Amino acid sequence: MFTTVTRKVKNLKPIERYRFKTTEHYWERRYQQGQLGGTEGAFDAIADFKSRFLNNFVKENDVKSVIDFGCGDGCFLCYCRFPEYTGYEVSQSALRDCQEYFFLKYPQWQFFDYRDYDGRQAELALSLDVIDYLVEDHTYIKHMRDLFAAATRYVIIYSSDIDNVHNDDVEGVHVRQRKFTDWIADNVKDFVLKERFDGQFNKSLNPNDFFVYERVAGVVQR
């Protein structure tokens, strides 16, 4: 995988300009052209910070199973140590990369097309660097609903938490930052924000923090 990453980095080139269609189309096209999901956070100091936080959380809370909505091409997963893992992805190209690389390395890990998500659950559900790239409202809402429905104990989100629509240039149309904590407060009753951990990086370069939600005992989502 790291050899593949190195090759991709050396061949990085701007995605040719085009009219944005959908979030799903954008990411499939990006991975298909040999681009990384994003150099920042995929295999650098941010990835090291993120993986250490997640690995420690899984160990300290005795988490047995993890489900991840938006696993990308697997570059970041090389840093992770999860017991049982299920990743969902909309890009077929990225999905194939994960399936091929992790098949023998971690046979207890599985990867599926997000369009085939069938309500599977795990103790911990993840949304890492995903929310800011869900441009369409219906795509964003589905992601949030599936995320919390899939978790039996915890939800961890790594994202910014501000409203900011980038719609003034072609290069930014695939980005839409959202204040997702407001949506959760209004729509999720069976989870509570346990802690918010500072991302520890320059906010002008990476505004993301970790948000840890825990299921509330005895409360049923309506």
Side-chain angles (χ1 to χ4, degrees):
M1 175 62 76
F2 283 107
T3 301
T4 302
V5 169
T6 302
R7 185 171 64 251
K8 285 185 176 182
V9 172
K10 290 180 178 179
N11 295 324
L12 281 180
K13 58 183 178 180
I15 297 177
E16 60 184 83
R17 298 170 73 86
Y18 79 109
R19 178 176 292 279
F20 181 88
K21 295 181 180 180
T22 65
T23 295
E24 183 177 318
H25 178 265
Y26 173 85
W27 288 102
E28 171 57 22
R29 192 167 179 275
R30 180 174 181 131
Y31 286 117
Q32 204 172 51
Q33 291 184 354
Q35 294 280 323
L36 296 170
T39 57
E40 197 172 302
F43 55 96
D44 53 15
I46 298 176
D48 181 63
F49 161 74
K50 288 163 54 182
S51 61
R52 281 189 287 106
F53 176 90
L54 293 170
N55 291 336
N56 288 338
F57 183 90
V58 166
K59 183 177 181 180
E60 291 172 3
N61 293 279
D62 194 28
V63 172
K64 303 298 186 185
S65 57
V66 177
I67 190 168
D68 184 8
F69 292 96
C71 61
D73 56 9
C75 291
F76 171 68
L77 290 174
C78 293
Y79 292 78
C80 299
R81 299 295 179 265
F82 301 143
E84 179 184 315
Y85 173 87
T86 304
Y88 285 92
E89 175 56 44
V90 297
S91 166
Q92 296 301 300
S93 298
L95 188 61
R96 284 193 296 272
D97 284 346
C98 290
Q99 290 171 333
E100 292 173 3
Y101 179 75
F102 293 106
F103 176 70
L104 294 177
K105 187 176 179 65
Y106 295 116
Q108 72 275 29
W109 288 16
Q110 296 179 299
F111 297 88
F112 300 103
D113 189 325
Y114 181 40
R115 289 167 292 191
D116 296 330
Y117 176 63
D118 59 0
R120 181 184 296 232
Q121 290 184 306
E123 292 185 11
L124 168 63
L126 300 177
S127 173
L128 309 175
D129 295 298
V130 173
I131 291 175
D132 287 351
Y133 301 102
L134 303 177
V135 176
E136 307 90 349
D137 286 340
H138 69 275
T139 303
Y140 163 66
I141 292 172
K142 174 175 170 51
H143 175 83
M144 298 301 290
R145 287 176 174 166
D146 288 344
L147 180 67
F148 282 90
T152 62
R153 293 178 62 195
Y154 302 104
V155 169
I156 294 182
I157 297 171
Y158 183 72
S159 178
S160 65
D161 186 38
I162 56 177
D163 281 320
N164 188 13
V165 180
H166 299 267
N167 58 7
D168 55 350
D169 65 85
V170 174
E171 299 303 323
V173 295
H174 68 289
V175 178
R176 180 178 178 181
Q177 292 172 298
R178 299 175 185 267
K179 191 165 180 59
F180 63 87
T181 52
D182 286 349
W183 186 93
I184 295 172
D186 292 339
N187 294 277
V188 179
K189 306 307 178 186
D190 52 344
F191 280 83
V192 64
L193 181 61
K194 181 180 179 182
E195 292 184 81
R196 175 175 180 169
F197 292 87
D198 187 275
Q200 300 184 10
F201 292 93
N202 187 323
K203 293 301 182 184
S204 65
L205 299 176
N206 186 341
N208 295 356
D209 290 332
F210 273 112
F211 298 77
V212 178
Y213 286 85
E214 184 174 21
R215 181 177 286 279
V216 180
V219 177
V220 179
Q221 178 72 35
R222 299 295 182 184

